[in-house]
Amino acid sequence: MAPATTATATSTPDLSNRGAIDMAMANLAKSKISKDQEDNYEFEYLKPCFPDIKYPPLEKFEYKDKALQADPTYKNLFAAAKEVKHCTPKIGTELIGVNLAELTDAQKDELALLVSYRGVVFFRDQKDLDIHKQLDLGRYWGKLHKHATTSTPKAWKEQDLEEVHVVWSDEKRLPTYSFSQTYLWHADVTYELQPPSYTMLKLLEGPESGGDTAWCLGYAVYDMLSKPLQKYLEGMTALHDAYEQANDSIRDGRPVRRDPIVSEHPVIRTHPVTGYKSVFVNPGFTRAIRGIPKAESEAILNYLFNLIATAQEYTVRFKWNKQDVAIWDNRITYHSAIYGFYPHKRHAVRVTTHGEAPYFDENGTSQQDTIDEALGIKRNMDGTKKANYND
């Protein structure tokens, strides 16, 4: 006779409150939208618009980096800081207590030098740095860039703000999955003849959570490559394309203020201040490596793009508060805005300085080799030896 079976009672989970926190967050966001629409917004004049004007093609000009005249001890800049806090060993520094609106020329030079080495430097609560002072600081470092497609402030003509790029997201900008997360990594307008050097972004209004920005260091991406691959790529150039960005604007019914171009830049560039070599390609704008088969070009670029998107050790992520400022070197970093905060508002203004035409100098150095030499170590780059696993 078969043994009797005993039914085991299983409790059914109560799903009535599933997603209660998610729904509460969504309702909070809705209420905040209504409040924003009712209030008299302080930065109304800096909201985005798309003027239908035409710019002539950019031409090359002489550029000399202000960092070349800076005191290498940073004695003037650091004297103004209550604390100098390095976010990671390789990339990102926060200067606490520094007022960007009150910098002397010597401090501005040293700040450019610091950004050249650290990739990006952060400043909290910069209320005194209004948009005109932000423009003045950018102009100190060089000629300012006018973007061909993105938005300018509503008051661009009345207040001479044509060189300001507006970053704007609100409930009208619906979430999209048009691009992969890897593809969203970029350096700004690298298709220009002289892409940006120093770039400065100030947050005017942001979500309570989300809306961070991440930066990755190009020096380190170069140093992640094997010596043979470094040598191979040092003789290469790549095509950087403005057409996709221009076509996106046309598709949205917006003007293109400067005709799109394709520029050829070295895959490995040398920084004029540090002398370090950096990988100078990015998923946003680099389309092909010249002089090699298409399949080979795509394989190499995809490998480099994957390094950029996954190099956590050489990446810094910044959580913004209102009035915070980030200044980065667009020549040797890539960045990606981290969304997922819909339907909150995110409003920022960017000022961008043109740099030199990218070049490769065979006498340039590796940042990691310089550090390893000072430490007296030889790094293991052979993947057939010890496993690379970190807890």
Side-chain angles (χ1 to χ4, degrees), residues 77-345:
L77 180 63
F78 286 177
K82 294 179 181 177
E83 184 180 355
V84 178
K85 185 167 70 174
H86 298 307
C87 306
T88 78
K90 281 286 184 75
I91 181 172
T93 296
E94 183 175 344
L95 293 185
I96 299 171
V98 171
N99 187 339
L100 287 172
E102 297 179 351
L103 294 182
T104 65
D105 287 355
Q107 290 170 328
K108 294 172 187 175
D109 295 341
E110 291 170 19
L111 176 53
L113 181 64
L114 183 64
V115 174
S116 296
Y117 277 96
R118 297 296 300 165
V120 57
V121 179
F122 305 112
F123 303 84
R124 299 288 186 185
D125 197 23
Q126 297 293 310
K127 291 189 290 289
D128 295 340
L129 190 79
D130 63 25
I131 190 59
H132 296 286
K133 290 179 181 177
Q134 187 175 347
L135 284 165
D136 288 342
L137 179 54
R139 288 192 187 107
Y140 177 81
W141 289 321
K143 180 180 178 181
L144 296 185
H145 178 257
K146 295 179 182 178
H147 205 289
T149 60
T150 58
S151 54
T152 59
K154 287 172 66 175
W156 68 272
K157 193 170 186 179
E158 298 84 353
Q159 297 199 31
D160 193 20
L161 302 177
E162 199 173 350
E163 295 156 322
V164 177
H165 163 83
V166 178
V167 176
W168 177 272
S169 296
D170 59 13
E171 76 281 3
K172 295 178 182 177
R173 181 175 180 175
L174 297 177
T176 177
Y177 296 95
S178 301
F179 300 108
S180 70
Q181 294 298 309
T182 299
Y183 193 80
L184 293 173
W185 281 93
H186 66 285
D188 292 327
V189 296
T190 56
Y191 50 74
E192 301 289 25
L193 297 175
Q194 292 178 238
S197 54
Y198 305 110
T199 299
M200 179 173 18
L201 185 69
K202 179 177 180 179
L203 187 77
L204 304 177
E205 181 82 19
E208 295 178 7
S209 62
D212 303 354
T213 304
W215 286 263
C216 179
L217 186 64
Y219 298 148
V221 174
Y222 172 82
D223 289 330
M224 293 169 72
L225 306 178
S226 67
K227 296 298 181 184
L229 186 53
Q230 287 176 350
K231 193 67 177 175
Y232 172 71
L233 293 177
E234 285 174 0
M236 297 292 185
T237 59
L239 301 178
H240 296 244
D241 188 339
Y243 280 86
E244 182 178 18
Q245 196 171 64
N247 290 336
D248 281 347
S249 289
I250 294 170
R251 189 161 43 246
D252 289 340
R254 294 170 177 167
V256 175
R257 297 186 288 274
R258 185 185 299 113
D259 291 340
I261 61 171
V262 176
S263 294
E264 187 172 344
H265 297 312
V267 173
I268 308 298
R269 73 181 293 177
T270 307
H271 196 286
V273 176
T274 67
Y276 292 151
K277 299 173 185 176
S278 175
V279 170
F280 191 65
V281 299
N282 68 91
F285 300 115
T286 311
R287 297 293 170 258
I289 297 175
R290 287 294 301 270
I292 60 175
K294 186 174 187 291
E296 185 175 339
S297 168
E298 289 178 348
I300 293 172
L301 286 177
N302 285 334
Y303 175 63
L304 295 175
F305 297 161
N306 185 61
L307 290 180
I308 291 169
T310 60
Q312 294 96 332
E313 187 174 341
Y314 310 118
T315 300
V316 64
R317 178 166 173 164
F318 185 60
K319 180 173 177 53
W320 297 89
N321 297 317
K322 293 180 184 179
Q323 305 286 358
D324 289 350
V325 172
I327 302 175
W328 67 91
D329 193 324
N330 196 71
R331 298 167 290 192
I332 47 92
T333 62
Y334 332 91
H335 60 279
S336 183
I338 299 166
Y339 287 94
F341 53 84
Y342 178 85
H344 288 285
K345 179 195 295 182

